[in-house]
Amino acid sequence: VQLQAFGGGLVQAGGSLRLSCAASGHFRRYIIGWVRQVPGSERQFVASISRNGVTANYADSVKGRFTITRDNAKSTAHLQMNSLQPEDTAVYYCAAALSDFGPCIEQFGYWGRGTLVTVSS
């Protein structure tokens, strides 16, 4: 599967952004997730969603603010980010996994190019 994340940008604190992940390949076979990374820091799990879109996992830091969804018919996934804070500033990556191990980064074997989200205070 090939992945491409887009939709990042500059937003003020308290604002919203919607990231999208476009995929090619057998999209339905994969767990889809979002991972973020601040330059110089380790990657951080943000959210993941099951193959059928029923089950989602979130990092504690984004619960109640971010929502992950997927549309298998369009081979796309989205991350709706509300109430953004400066600490959400990072490069966001779309990733895919063949097995679901819950909220962990190690399960992801496929990565797309990231999209930068900058939240100003």
Side-chain angles (χ1 to χ4, degrees):
V1 66
Q2 293 183 324
L3 307 164
Q4 177 66 56
F6 56 96
L10 175 64
V11 63
Q12 289 187 331
S16 298
L17 275 178
R18 187 188 192 216
L19 303 183
S20 297
C21 175
S24 62
H26 298 285
F27 184 73
R28 296 170 185 266
R29 295 181 180 178
Y30 297 90
I31 308 301
I32 299 298
W34 290 92
V35 175
R36 66 188 182 187
Q37 186 173 27
V38 176
S41 300
E42 294 184 352
R43 289 185 174 182
Q44 178 188 22
F45 174 88
V46 175
S48 65
I49 191 166
S50 60
R51 294 177 183 85
N52 61 7
V54 171
T55 303
N57 294 293
Y58 296 95
D60 288 342
S61 58
V62 307
K63 281 181 181 177
R65 300 189 298 124
F66 291 11
T67 303
I68 186 172
T69 58
R70 67 187 295 164
D71 184 339
N72 285 341
K74 296 181 179 179
S75 295
T76 57
H78 301 283
L79 184 69
Q80 178 66 43
M81 305 186 295
N82 298 328
S83 301
L84 284 162
Q85 300 301 316
E87 53 265 34
D88 295 316
T89 295
V91 176
Y92 284 72
Y93 296 90
C94 178
L98 286 171
S99 299
D100 190 352
F101 291 100
C104 73
I105 293 176
E106 290 73 19
Q107 65 185 321
F108 297 118
Y110 305 88
W111 296 83
R113 296 179 64 179
T115 185
L116 176 63
V117 172
T118 303
V119 184
S120 63
S121 57

